Amino acid sequence: MARSLYEWLWQHEFWLPPGITWEDMQESEDTHYPRPRDLLLSIPFALILVVIRCAFERAIALPLSTKLGVRDKQRPKAQPNPVLETFYSTHRKNPKEGELISLAKQCDLPVRKVEKWFRHRRNMDRPSLSKKFSEACWRFTFYIISFFTGLAVLYDKPWFWDHRECWTGYPQQPLQPSLFWYYMLELSFYWSLVFTLPFDVKRKDFKEQIVHHAATIFLISFSYCANYIRIGTLVMVIHDASDCFLEPTKIFNYMKWKRTCDSLFMIFSAVFLISRLVIYPYTVLYNTYYYSMEIFQPFFGYYFVNVLLMILQLLHVFWSCLIIHMVYKFILQGTMEKDMRSDTEESDKDEERDKIREKEKNGITCFSNVTSNGYIQRNGSEPLDNRAHRANGHAKER
């Protein structure tokens, strides 16, 4: 059965244009073509990258964060409570109002304290600033290396300047060693991101990130097996271009260098929108959809690779909407809004609200945020300081 499945999966009708079979892709001493088994090398390479990342973050990124003044915020810890911890682990992290009341009765605690416990417990699970800094440093280092490696590999390639060259002689386009190692570098990196996904900083677009990684791995793997090497290299270089500016923007944000962060964010926004909404559709989508038809007729692989490329484009549109919204806020307010993909920490404002509620419940009204200069006007004229002074024996209040 495994043999039949193997033969069905690798039918040349799926992977190659009409009129081309696997016999036409036979290798010789001087000519080498991509082989699916080559992709297995990306798994051990990905594990090596994970090890390198761990060493990089411990030996370089964390000490660098300390020297640059990145400090983790001190968070109040949730007191040990087996009932609340069980609910937190097995049911949900943010209970509804009815569940809070039920838990408060079980623990014999006020609802307000149960709500505060869950808030502190959620904050304990949120990543520290130094962890975010280290992750951004690692990605920045990789994207810089990958981007300039791609430029070095593609600079002298004809399809980098004339996109129709992507299809000249397809699919009988020999695999060059530099292209092979560039592909392995990119594919191994995305596999390493999948391996570390449970431990990385989780953002609001976590699901979209999973779709992005899966689509990228499938796209790189399929483009390699079907010898879409030339178009695949263009896709990877375009994606790395904007990522080189995204990660340092995060780094300077964690360092609280606001002006540098804002400037890099505007540069990143321009590069991202131009590369993903202009260059990518023309260089990749239009090239794959139309220029390829000058060489061969549509087949399964043609439709499949275009679907994967369109999935990436939809994700580009999604992230572009977030970026445009942040740019709009920046223009109106003059400062960059926090990363909309980040999970914000619950602390100060909620604590203040709890204190105000508690004071109001005890009949104490706090006017410090309403009045100025530390006094209250009584009948439009009398300051609190004068009344206190007079009450100390100088005069009696009527």
Side-chain angles (χ1 to χ4, degrees):
M1 182 176 178
R3 178 70 178 178
S4 300
L5 180 62
Y6 179 86
E7 293 178 352
W8 175 84
L9 179 62
W10 294 106
Q11 295 181 69
H12 62 266
E13 291 86 358
F14 291 164
W15 300 87
L16 301 174
I20 304 294
T21 64
W22 291 117
E23 284 72 19
D24 300 319
M25 303 290 292
Q26 294 297 322
E27 295 185 343
S28 62
E29 293 183 1
D30 301 326
T31 304
H32 298 280
Y33 294 111
R35 291 290 180 240
R37 63 175 177 268
D38 298 339
L39 298 177
L40 296 176
L41 292 174
S42 64
I43 303 299
F45 288 161
L47 297 176
I48 293 174
L49 280 179
V50 172
V51 174
I52 294 175
R53 172 182 174 175
C54 292
F56 174 87
E57 291 184 352
R58 291 187 176 215
I60 299 177
L62 282 176
L64 183 62
S65 68
T66 303
K67 290 184 178 180
L68 294 177
V70 178
R71 298 287 184 269
D72 292 333
K73 185 176 181 180
Q74 294 296 325
R75 298 167 177 169
K77 294 184 178 181
Q79 296 298 321
N81 189 308
V83 175
L84 299 182
E85 186 66 38
T86 301
F87 185 92
Y88 182 87
S89 303
T90 59
H91 290 78
R92 68 180 74 201
K93 298 181 178 181
N94 196 357
K96 298 179 181 179
E97 185 175 355
E99 294 169 333
L100 285 173
I101 295 174
S102 175
L103 290 169
K105 291 180 180 179
Q106 295 179 44
C107 300
D108 194 22
L109 293 172
V111 175
R112 188 170 58 255
K113 288 191 176 181
V114 175
E115 187 178 7
K116 182 187 293 186
W117 187 94
F118 276 96
R119 183 167 61 251
H120 290 171
R121 186 65 181 83
R122 288 193 296 268
N123 285 339
M124 288 172 60
D125 284 348
R126 289 190 170 91
S128 63
L129 201 60
S130 58
K131 177 176 174 58
K132 294 180 180 180
F133 180 90
S134 300
E135 181 179 317
C137 283
W138 164 250
R139 293 183 184 236
F140 172 64
T141 302
F142 177 84
Y143 288 135
I144 283 289
I145 294 174
S146 178
F147 178 67
F148 284 101
T149 298
L151 290 181
V153 167
L154 296 177
Y155 181 78
D156 60 345
K157 304 299 187 292
W159 65 87
F160 186 67
W161 308 102
D162 183 3
H163 304 321
R164 279 187 169 87
E165 288 293 325
C166 288
W167 311 108
T168 300
Y170 180 82
Q172 296 168 308
Q173 297 172 338
L175 175 64
Q176 301 176 20
S178 59
L179 297 178
F180 167 79
W181 288 111
Y182 180 45
Y183 248 74
M184 286 298 106
L185 176 66
E186 290 279 354
L187 184 57
S188 301
F189 175 70
Y190 282 102
W191 271 121
S192 72
L193 292 183
V194 172
F195 295 157
T196 59
L197 205 56
F199 314 103
D200 287 343
V201 176
K202 290 182 174 60
R203 304 183 186 275
K204 292 181 180 179
D205 61 347
F206 179 72
K207 295 180 180 178
E208 288 80 6
Q209 284 284 356
I210 295 176
V211 174
H212 175 268
H213 295 341
T216 302
I217 290 173
F218 278 123
L219 180 59
I220 293 176
S221 301
F222 178 79
S223 64
Y224 185 87
C225 294
N227 206 12
Y228 283 105
I229 299 291
R230 297 184 178 183
I231 198 69
T233 53
L234 295 179
V235 173
M236 293 186 291
V237 167
I238 291 172
H239 279 71
D240 289 340
S242 59
D243 291 332
C244 290
F245 294 97
L246 173 61
E247 301 306 326
T249 301
K250 296 178 183 178
I251 291 173
F252 285 109
N253 182 43
Y254 303 145
M255 294 168 54
K256 301 188 185 306
W257 290 23
K258 294 299 295 179
R259 291 187 178 181
T260 306
C261 175
D262 292 346
S263 300
L264 281 174
F265 172 73
M266 297 303 292
I267 296 173
F268 158 74
S269 301
V271 174
F272 185 95
L273 296 175
I274 293 173
S275 63
R276 305 292 179 95
L277 300 184
V278 179
I279 297 178
Y280 178 85
Y282 173 72
T283 303
V284 177
L285 295 182
Y286 185 82
N287 185 7
T288 306
Y289 191 79
Y290 288 105
Y291 288 166
S292 61
M293 293 297 93
E294 298 176 358
I295 307 298
F296 53 78
Q297 295 299 314
F299 62 105
F300 174 80
Y302 164 83
Y303 293 113
F304 187 66
V305 75
N306 275 283
V307 167
L308 291 176
L309 293 172
M310 284 303 302
I311 291 175
L312 285 182
Q313 182 60 21
L314 291 176
L315 291 170
H316 296 165
V317 173
F318 170 79
W319 283 312
S320 296
C321 291
L322 295 181
I323 291 172
I324 291 172
H325 179 76
M326 294 177 71
V327 171
Y328 177 74
K329 290 288 186 180
F330 176 82
I331 295 174
L332 289 183
Q333 300 176 359
T335 184
M336 187 182 72
E337 192 183 46
K338 65 178 178 62
D339 187 358
M340 295 178 64
R341 298 164 55 221
S342 298
D343 194 10
T344 56
E345 184 169 332
E346 309 165 75
S347 58
D348 298 336
K349 291 184 178 180
D350 294 325
E351 292 284 354
E352 288 298 324
R353 277 197 293 267
D354 284 341
K355 291 178 181 178
I356 292 173
R357 286 177 194 163
E358 187 172 355
K359 289 181 179 180
E360 289 178 347
K361 186 176 180 181
N362 295 330
I364 301 174
T365 308
C366 181
F367 294 97
S368 59
N369 293 330
V370 180
T371 60
S372 59
N373 298 326
Y375 61 83
I376 304 173
Q377 298 289 338
R378 185 173 184 261
N379 296 328
S381 61
E382 189 174 12
L384 179 62
D385 290 341
N386 290 347
R387 293 175 60 205
H389 180 71
R390 292 167 58 191
N392 287 332
H394 294 280
K396 289 186 178 180
E397 184 179 69
R398 289 188 296 172

